[in-house]
Amino acid sequence: MRDLMLSGPGRVVGTTLAVLMLTGAFFLAIGRDPVELMGLIVRSAAGDGYAITESLVRATPILLCALATALPARLGLITVGAEGQLYFGALLGTGFVLANLGATSAAPYMAMIVVAMLAGAAWALLPAVLRSHLGVNETISTLLVNYVAALLVTWVVYGPWKSAANLGWPATADFPEAFKPSTFFDSRVHSGLWIAIGLAVLLHWTFVRTRWGLTLDVLRSNPRAGIAAGLNWRRNVLLTMALGGMLAGLAGILETASIQGRLQANLSAGAGLSGFLVAWLARNHCLRIIPMSLLVGALLASGDGLQMFANVPSSIALVVQGLLFVAVLLVGGYANRLQVRRG
Amino acid sequence: MHVSLAGITKRYGAILANDDVDLDLVPGEVVALLGENGAGKSTLMKILFGFQQADAGEIRIDGRPVVIDSPRAAAALGIGMVFQQFSLVPALTVRENLALGHRCTPWWIGRGARSFAAPVAHLRDIAPEIEPDLPVSRLAVGEMQLVELAKVLNLDAGVVILDEPTSVLTPAESERLWEQVRRIAAGGAAVVLITHKLEDVFACAQRVAVMRRGRMVATLDTSSVTPDALVRLIVGAETVTTAQPVERTADALPRAWIKNLSATTAAGAIAGVDLRIAAGEILGIAGVSGNGQQTLADAVAGLAILLAGEVIVDGETLQAPRAEMPAQSAVAYLPEQPLRNAVAPDLSVAVNLMLKRIRDLPWRSHPSQFDADARERITAFDIRPTDPRATAASLSGGNLQKLVAARELAGAPALIVACYPTMGLDLGAAAAVYEALFAHARRGAAVLWISEDLDDLLRYAHRIAVLHRGRIAGIADTAQATRRQLGAWMVGHSIDVAAEPAHA
């Protein structure tokens, strides 16, 4: 029993059972038939071609933000800053677009991506420098600067960058076609999904097969011993945070350019925080992050279907996401207790 | 309270940690439990204290079988244990620490703890000079040990287990602890002293129980046994080789110069430490723990930011922090508490053995490629388990020491900083580490050796410097050094000796 609970598959089965029970209990508590609602979630998330592509659309920024969380986590840093880095990337990326509205070639498109990624890195470097040089807790500081980035976006879309063409709706002007990533067939799925999956595989390989991955493992396990062995902890704090910020910034500009077509407030729809959840669920394992973000993306995408067909608020999906988190905590905690007790 | 352990058997995977072990603990008697690392002493005591459950066998108290399934149950039965790793809260005062687990303490102790007298009653007995309202973080290691002991006495324990209590104490502190141990026994408690040191046994134990490879090989009256006989029992048929002292090379040039070093770390401060170590010289640093040893070692190894001074090796100035030094470092560092300071606990033994070479690896590297290399060193230093993929955290304290020694003593460092390199090692393993360390001295390395074991220092070091409150209180050639003199320096007497520069 102990070995089963401690094994990977054992945990997955245990977690699945726990989340089914918790969700079922929640649906019963709000007076609905659990089987019916769960079936509806599955159908709304993956019932037909449209549902599947919408789930993939939702999963893309979550996947990038999960990678943005996992990178610093390889060094033992717990950051929740993907949300803010996403906003800041979208903000400066949009600024670049607005300055080059007439562009038609591919060069400005690439430049927009680069600008957004650098912006995400810059936003991540702020708490990173505080951490590496002043010892400020990175979890708290990344959480706080998230609000600043989100509010900056709100300010520009209500204020200086608000487009008159939107008839009062707080948003910037629409992006020209040259700045929109290519999409697949008729769907809204854009090339960002493949980029994100490719990056996840590349990062996984880097972590397990390279000197840098080993360096991060050592510094995470014991910074003191790593520093004594001549490894540079500070530089790696800055590096992992900045690279993570780049990925979140990329998520921000792709979401803005491809899905929304213009910068508006609340563009992340919680992708940064869902990404944190996913990274945590996957225990920062970059390959496991891929299916986990697809799962969580599908779950969140099902919210609209629930609202339409079952007459329940779409935020039900957020509740289920939360219960998923609780289930993992429960099962993980139980497994750890088994491990401790049996020595 | 008469406790008897009968037929205790405990298996961890393939290893039989305790094999049908019997042990009687009689009120008023001190039993020394001896054995090498991994002989099963700690497992046996963990079973008695409820941390582990025996697979077979039973524990009886006054003839009645009892089940001890947690340390809480053990405490309720009057069994108390003082661990090697202290369990005091550094930020709280001595009194608050003692009040924490005390039965007379109400739940609302808060700041009012100052007024509680009952919890410190035992402490007053055994160490009247410890100020109860001082934070624990300001105590010396020896004092913390006494506070831990007072905590156990507060339980009105009928059985007191001490896990290697003298391993971090000065001679004077050890003597004092022995006296307390004898007193506790005289008061009617049964005392178990887990130890490596024979002097502990002869100082205060009436009976000695020797374990080897999980079995109880002998239980004897201390008065009827000689130290040589005990050593033979501990190591079995194997012969014990002690390390050979290193001949001192005359007129060797200084290889390492610790020049007027001042530094402050969380562990303490040093000021104006000036030491020159010749090629092939072993310079011992004695002193009561907490007088700046760790800061000195960190500063020399480049892990502490220097306030002043330099470390010069082979004419080259090594600057702190270490991270800015060239990859092939001339300094090998064996810090104290290897688990905290020198290994990556959740990585494999193989990775930990090549920690210092990570920066020279090719970009594409995978931990499995170090296994062959690691096996060699695991064999050379007799690290157990022998699996290079085992995590460092799964190693015992002694094996971690061996791991760090195996890593740091590879190659040809010019300066070696070794802090308590044999702490927790049994006699055979300690001799092996000394041999490896001294081989570098024979080769011409400068060795800075921090220890609290005066016997070993007097035996192997060429000179001994004493650190007191972060300063060198005195330095003497081992040939001329006396314990009295060193002891006086340790407590800060005749500090004026330090005023004269004492160089090689």
Side-chain angles (χ1 to χ4, degrees):
Chain A
M1 179 65 191
R2 173 199 166 202
D3 290 338
L4 182 69
M5 276 310 292
L6 294 178
S7 71
R11 282 192 194 215
V12 172
V13 171
T15 309
T16 311
L17 287 177
V19 80
L20 285 178
M21 285 195 300
L22 286 172
T23 322
F26 168 66
F27 288 159
L28 282 176
I30 59 170
R32 303 298 296 253
D33 177 6
V35 179
E36 181 208 330
L37 275 193
M38 284 185 206
L40 188 57
I41 288 179
V42 173
R43 264 178 285 131
S44 312
D48 53 40
Y50 173 76
I52 290 173
T53 57
E54 280 306 295
S55 293
L56 293 177
V57 165
R58 199 69 192 261
T60 306
I62 294 176
L63 174 50
L64 283 168
C65 288
L67 296 175
T69 309
L71 253 161
R74 294 299 294 202
L75 199 59
L77 301 174
I78 301 167
T79 68
V80 288
E83 186 92 5
Q85 294 147 18
L86 179 150
Y87 272 108
F88 202 65
L91 179 73
L92 292 205
T94 303
F96 180 83
V97 172
L98 295 180
N100 295 280
L101 278 177
T104 49
S105 70
Y109 171 73
M110 289 313 295
M112 168 192 80
I113 301 277
V114 170
V115 166
M117 289 175 80
L118 291 180
W123 202 249
L125 277 173
L126 182 69
V129 170
L130 289 176
R131 177 71 181 100
S132 69
H133 287 78
L134 297 172
V136 175
N137 181 307
E138 74 281 1
T139 314
I140 305 297
S141 60
T142 48
L143 181 67
L144 294 179
V145 294
N146 277 351
Y147 294 106
V148 179
L151 290 171
L152 276 176
V153 168
T154 307
W155 172 62
V156 296
V157 299
Y158 276 95
W161 291 358
K162 184 169 168 182
S163 166
N166 291 330
L167 305 172
W169 177 254
T172 62
D174 284 351
F175 279 29
E177 279 306 309
F179 288 103
K180 295 192 174 174
S182 57
T183 55
F184 292 90
F185 305 106
D186 237 0
S187 73
R188 298 201 295 160
V189 180
H190 54 87
S191 47
L193 178 64
W194 311 113
I195 295 170
I197 291 175
L199 284 171
V201 174
L202 179 69
L203 278 177
H204 176 73
W205 180 84
T206 310
F207 289 149
V208 300
R209 292 277 161 187
T210 69
R211 181 184 66 222
W212 187 50
L214 192 58
T215 303
L216 293 182
D217 283 345
V218 170
L219 287 171
R220 177 184 68 237
S221 180
N222 187 346
R224 226 183 114 78
I227 292 166
L231 305 178
N232 195 330
W233 181 78
R234 283 184 177 176
R235 188 167 65 203
N236 279 295
V237 170
L238 301 181
L239 189 60
T240 52
M241 292 279 284
L243 287 176
M246 289 176 109
L247 299 183
L250 175 65
I253 196 62
L254 287 175
E255 186 73 8
T256 306
S258 176
I259 306 302
Q260 322 219 350
R262 57 192 181 182
L263 184 68
Q264 42 191 10
N266 303 322
L267 75 106
S268 94
L273 298 177
S274 291
F276 177 83
L277 168 66
V278 163
W280 200 85
L281 289 177
R283 287 191 273 167
N284 304 310
H285 187 293
C286 290
L287 291 185
R288 282 190 221 134
I289 280 177
I290 301 171
M292 289 311 298
S293 20
L294 294 178
L295 182 71
V296 169
L299 181 62
L300 295 179
S302 74
D304 294 337
L306 284 174
Q307 185 156 4
M308 240 180 298
F309 300 114
N311 197 24
V312 291
S314 66
S315 54
I316 292 282
L318 284 176
V319 175
V320 176
Q321 178 186 272
L323 292 175
L324 181 62
F325 204 36
V326 172
V328 172
L329 277 171
L330 277 176
V331 172
Y334 179 63
N336 287 345
R337 242 181 63 175
L338 276 181
Q339 200 156 25
V340 168
R341 196 179 297 164
R342 307 283 179 86
Chain B
M1 186 162 100
H2 179 161
V3 178
S4 71
L5 297 123
I8 300 291
T9 301
K10 176 75 184 177
R11 179 182 286 281
Y12 294 114
I15 302 155
L16 203 52
N18 278 175
D19 182 7
D20 194 16
V21 175
D22 298 335
L23 182 64
D24 271 313
L25 308 176
V26 186
E29 191 184 58
V30 181
V31 177
L33 189 53
L34 278 173
E36 296 198 297
N37 284 321
K41 312 176 298 262
S42 296
T43 304
L44 186 66
M45 287 303 116
K46 280 180 182 163
I47 288 170
L48 177 57
F49 195 59
F51 261 129
Q52 306 276 330
Q53 308 304 305
D55 298 332
E58 66 174 1
I59 302 171
R60 290 164 177 272
I61 294 182
D62 296 330
R64 194 168 40 85
V66 289
V67 176
I68 305 177
D69 53 8
S70 68
R72 185 182 281 262
L77 290 166
I79 299 170
M81 184 157 177
V82 177
F83 294 92
Q84 267 176 291
Q85 312 274 332
F86 298 144
S87 52
L88 300 171
V89 185
L92 297 185
T93 64
V94 171
R95 190 192 301 272
E96 286 164 339
N97 266 286
L98 289 171
L100 271 179
H102 198 265
R103 73 195 128 70
C104 299
T105 309
W107 59 267
W108 40 265
I109 63 170
R111 296 286 112 185
R114 188 169 289 272
S115 58
F116 295 120
V120 291
H122 280 295
L123 185 70
R124 288 241 186 274
D125 274 353
I126 62 175
E129 82 291 351
I130 296 179
E131 171 52 52
D133 293 311
L134 213 60
V136 162
S137 54
R138 307 233 332 244
L139 298 184
V141 179
E143 293 175 321
M144 289 192 209
Q145 187 115 43
L146 291 170
V147 176
E148 285 279 3
L149 189 59
K151 213 161 90 177
V152 169
L153 294 180
N154 278 346
L155 298 170
D156 290 331
V159 176
V160 177
I161 306 164
L162 298 150
D163 190 2
E164 300 196 19
T166 57
S167 61
V168 291
L169 302 186
T170 59
E173 284 174 325
S174 295
E175 265 170 42
R176 179 151 164 211
L177 187 83
W178 294 332
E179 190 191 315
Q180 294 307 329
V181 167
R182 288 189 295 260
R183 257 191 43 181
I184 293 164
V191 181
V192 183
L193 194 65
I194 304 176
T195 186
H196 279 308
K197 293 190 186 172
L198 296 183
E199 52 177 3
D200 288 348
V201 178
F202 292 101
C204 58
Q206 281 92 42
R207 210 148 48 94
V208 49
V210 182
M211 293 187 74
R212 188 168 74 235
R213 306 225 164 122
R215 300 190 68 97
M216 188 65 79
V217 290
T219 313
L220 307 157
D221 281 332
T222 313
S223 53
S224 70
V225 70
T226 63
D228 285 344
L230 268 185
V231 170
R232 275 195 299 279
L233 279 171
I234 293 167
V235 297
E238 301 160 36
T239 50
V240 184
T241 50
T242 47
Q244 284 298 314
V246 183
E247 287 290 322
R248 189 169 179 184
T249 359
D251 302 326
L253 294 166
R255 181 132 202 222
W257 184 6
I258 295 159
K259 189 178 168 189
N260 196 22
L261 214 57
S262 298
T264 304
T265 66
I270 52 166
V273 172
D274 200 283
L275 299 162
R276 291 181 210 197
I277 314 174
E281 186 186 25
I282 300 167
L283 174 61
I285 303 284
V288 180
S289 173
N291 271 286
Q293 286 97 328
Q294 198 189 332
T295 305
L296 172 62
D298 277 358
V300 173
L303 291 178
I305 293 163
L306 303 184
L307 298 177
E310 281 177 297
V311 178
I312 301 167
V313 175
D314 289 338
E316 200 180 326
T317 303
L318 303 183
Q319 286 194 334
R322 172 75 161 281
E324 290 160 18
M325 290 172 56
Q328 272 306 328
S329 170
V331 183
Y333 183 27
L334 288 77
E336 61 178 306
Q337 301 185 38
L339 187 62
R340 222 187 68 187
N341 296 322
V343 301
D346 44 353
L347 303 184
S348 69
V349 171
V351 169
N352 273 291
L353 278 171
M354 45 72 59
L355 223 49
K356 292 179 84 176
R357 288 187 290 144
I358 288 184
R359 303 198 327 166
D360 306 326
L361 289 174
W363 171 250
R364 281 188 67 174
S365 297
H366 189 262
S368 62
Q369 75 201 48
F370 317 128
D371 286 1
D373 210 11
R375 276 202 188 88
E376 221 168 85
R377 286 203 239 173
I378 286 170
T379 316
F381 279 82
D382 190 29
I383 299 167
R384 284 176 238 181
T386 53
D387 178 10
R389 306 265 178 104
T391 58
S394 68
L395 268 58
S396 68
N399 280 300
L400 284 170
Q401 288 279 16
K402 291 192 238 172
L403 188 160
V404 174
R407 178 180 76 215
E408 299 292 325
L409 299 180
L415 169 65
I416 301 172
V417 182
C419 301
Y420 320 107
T422 61
M423 183 180 280
L425 292 183
D426 54 63
L427 299 166
V433 167
Y434 280 151
E435 267 308 326
L437 187 62
F438 301 158
H440 285 282
R442 287 194 193 95
R443 182 179 57 75
V447 178
L448 182 69
W449 172 29
I450 296 173
S451 176
E452 279 171 341
D453 192 330
L454 271 188
D455 290 327
D456 282 358
L457 282 175
L458 287 166
R459 187 136 130 251
Y460 297 120
H462 297 137
R463 281 186 300 151
I464 301 176
V466 175
L467 208 53
H468 177 72
R469 298 207 176 147
R471 292 176 179 277
I472 299 293
I475 186 161
D477 273 357
T478 309
Q480 282 107 49
T482 63
R483 281 168 178 275
R484 251 192 77 236
Q485 165 112 76
L486 296 174
W489 281 337
M490 281 186 194
V491 293
H493 289 159
S494 55
I495 193 95
D496 52 317
V497 179
E500 302 159 26
H503 300 316

